[in-house]
Amino acid sequence: MKTVIILLLTSALLLLPGCMDFTPAIQASERAIAQFHQQYNKMQFDEIHDGAHYQYQRASTKSEHNRLLTDVHQNLGLVVSTQNTGHGVISTTDLGTFIAFRQETTFQYGNAIEEFVFYFNEPITLLSGYHFTITSITPPSAVIQSSIH
């Protein structure tokens, strides 16, 4: 149920009045995505979970989180590159802003669409939601075989 709520938040991007400047939140979230991918590549899954917003930590235990990212890492390998394909502000209050990003990410052995939700309250940026969809996968053994031939 908690995962559904996070996914609904990700899907429900709202347009807010143009008079608000979300540039600091966008820039901080972009840096947080880069940090997430660095930690993912180093298999620092505990650190990702420990540094996340309490809503993220409550949505999945550290064990569930680590199992998911370990499975992704074993099947897709390292993050090679990522491109932002969209972002939007979900909500903003005096307590902070929730902002969502959609990334097209290339891994060693495939591609995925990643969706991130971050909580931003300057200077704090915390991961609040993460969802991914694998769009293509080449098993590591197939990559090795194709490089041998």
Side-chain angles (χ1 to χ4, degrees):
M1 180 66 176
K2 292 176 186 176
T3 303
V4 172
I5 292 170
I6 291 171
L7 295 176
L8 288 175
L9 284 174
T10 303
S11 301
L13 300 178
L14 301 175
L15 297 175
L16 295 175
C19 61
M20 301 180 82
D21 182 14
F22 294 106
T23 303
I26 292 167
Q27 292 172 341
S29 297
E30 289 170 339
R31 288 190 300 273
I33 290 169
Q35 179 181 359
F36 177 96
H37 286 146
Q38 289 170 357
Q39 290 175 314
Y40 166 87
N41 281 349
K42 294 177 183 176
M43 296 183 71
Q44 296 174 336
F45 305 144
D46 283 346
E47 289 84 348
I48 292 171
H49 192 271
D50 292 344
H53 192 271
Y54 74 91
Q55 289 179 339
Y56 183 89
Q57 293 174 349
R58 288 196 316 203
S60 67
T61 66
K62 190 181 292 189
S63 174
E64 292 168 333
H65 162 87
N66 289 354
R67 192 173 330 115
L68 171 70
L69 291 183
T70 298
D71 287 346
V72 173
H73 200 278
Q74 288 174 344
N75 288 292
L76 292 177
L78 300 175
V79 170
V80 175
S81 65
T82 190
Q83 180 178 344
N84 179 4
T85 59
H87 61 268
V89 174
I90 297 171
S91 67
T92 189
T93 68
D94 292 342
L95 301 176
T97 299
F98 286 91
I99 187 166
F101 277 77
R102 181 179 170 97
Q103 302 287 124
E104 289 183 5
T105 303
T106 301
F107 294 82
Q108 282 177 296
Y109 309 119
N111 299 294
I113 301 295
E114 293 181 295
E115 295 172 329
F116 294 89
V117 177
F118 291 100
Y119 166 78
F120 175 79
N121 189 358
E122 199 165 7
I124 298 167
T125 306
L126 302 173
L127 179 66
S128 180
Y130 178 67
H131 178 260
F132 70 96
T133 303
I134 296 172
T135 56
S136 68
I137 189 166
T138 303
S141 59
V143 173
I144 293 168
Q145 288 174 353
S146 66
S147 65
I148 293 172
H149 297 290

